[in-house]
Amino acid sequence: MTELRSDFLWGAATAAHQIEGNNVGSDWWYLEEIAAGVIERSGDADDSYHRYPEDMRLLADAGLAAYRFSVEWARIEPAEGHFSQASLDHYRRMIDTALESGLTPVVTLHHFSNPLWFAKQGGWLADPAVETFARYIERVCTILDGVEWVCTINEPNFLSVNTSMMRAAIPVDGAAAPAVMPDDDYSMDSVVVPAPNEEIGHRLVRAHHRARDIVRERTGAKVGWTVAMQAFVATPGNEALADEIRWTWENLYVEASKGDDFLGVQAYTSRAIDADGIVDHPDRVDNTQMGWAYRPDALGIALRDAWKVNPGLPLLVTENGIATADDGVRIDYTATALEHLHQAVDDGIDVRGYLHWSALDNFEWGRWHPTFGLIEVDRTTFERRPRPSLRWLGEVARANGVRAQRD
Ligand code: BGC
């Protein structure tokens, strides 16, 4: 049995649009407005824009040592080329607060939401997109002193999917393109997610490489991006098809992390692949609030899949968790996922940390009912109520692993 590294990062993760509230300049805010009645709104969210010191204190008091959060482009550059020093100062205060609380900040520079002005230009497929993003990254670098871990873009594979959706909903350059919104019977719970668009994917790879170079040149941080790993498992005879599907869904992005300092691995569930492609989640009572199969082993599969593509590249689990109303299930799921992480480390895979998704219940991109949080949030009073799972994960962190915590 191999011990986890003594500097293994134990923490929890969030993203700006999902917790801050009133991110009014973003494309997501706009989408929530035009799709009102179909999807829910983020609104005040958890008001973490103002309450982040309390959020960080709860994590640190529980025994966690790292906090992954994102900075919001729509706040930092509210109009094209106009940078808000006040917003940059806000995020610098968050970094300082994390450091003073004893939390290693893991800073994500882009987590799904874009400024609306950027989306209106055509978003990631507009000609100047990469340069526009690079200019934003240069500004963000001015506040990253003392930050050791930077994630450029969160889940580019799902950002690619979101980008297709935004382009359908948001007219480009004022053209009278109809807003293509889902049918009335559309429900976020039954949505069929289209495969990531490869052209957008390649654009995001370019954006990531540009951002990586800028962050390296201007800061001392380790830099990488975070990929949603699907933990695909081929049924017998369907390995070649599974490889094709893996390429489109994740390996294009995992490959692009060659030359990075680390890869962020995000895993929640696993999907089988048969002769017809990706198999739907089975209809089981233990499916999560997302409708996903209960598969804590997904984390081990994801770590191994990522390592196979880039052997030797350090891995950081930047997201893993479960949407459940039962906190005991959250603890069981996480304990089993961590056992799989230990087994991957036993087999020589270099895993640098585990950041649970999520620190707080939050806006799950169009809906509020899936609860991923170690901390429950009252959406009217914004009172924070730590769940037993937070205390439990803090004990795991103090013991440096779920095996030691169990002994
Ligand atoms: C995203 C998070 C999201 C989580 C659960 C990841 O796709 O990075 O923003 O809330 O998974 O769906």
Side-chain angles (χ1 to χ4, degrees), residues 12-14 66-69 106 108 111 151 154 226 266 318-319 355:
T14 60
Y67 181 43
R68 172 178 178 232
F69 60 91
V106 177
T108 306
H111 194 124
C151 310
N154 178 73
T226 65
Q266 318 207 143
T318 37
E319 286 184 27
L355 305 171

Side-chain angles (χ1 to χ4, degrees), residues 15 18 68 111-112 154-155 158 228 266 268 290 292 319 357 362-365 372:
Q18 294 177 269
R68 172 178 178 232
H111 194 124
F112 288 168
N154 178 73
E155 291 190 354
F158 277 91
Q266 318 207 143
Y268 292 89
M290 301 291 285
W292 299 342
E319 286 184 27
W357 186 272
N362 59 50
F363 177 66
E364 178 53 35
W365 307 109
F372 278 95

Side-chain angles (χ1 to χ4, degrees), residues 139-212:
R139 286 301 175 111
V140 180
C141 284
T142 62
I143 59 157
L144 295 181
D145 233 30
V147 174
E148 284 175 53
W149 298 86
V150 168
C151 310
T152 59
I153 298 176
N154 178 73
E155 291 190 354
N157 38 351
F158 277 91
L159 178 59
S160 165
V161 173
N162 292 350
T163 301
S164 308
M165 182 177 77
M166 287 294 176
R167 282 174 68 89
I170 299 176
V172 175
D173 285 337
V180 181
M181 288 311 297
D183 302 337
D184 287 348
D185 60 358
Y186 170 92
S187 133
M188 284 298 283
D189 295 321
S190 59
V191 65
V192 177
V193 178
N197 172 291
E198 208 161 316
E199 187 188 353
I200 302 174
H202 287 296
R203 188 56 76 87
L204 294 172
V205 167
R206 277 182 45 211
H208 166 57
H209 288 160
R210 273 288 272 139
R212 177 185 69 192

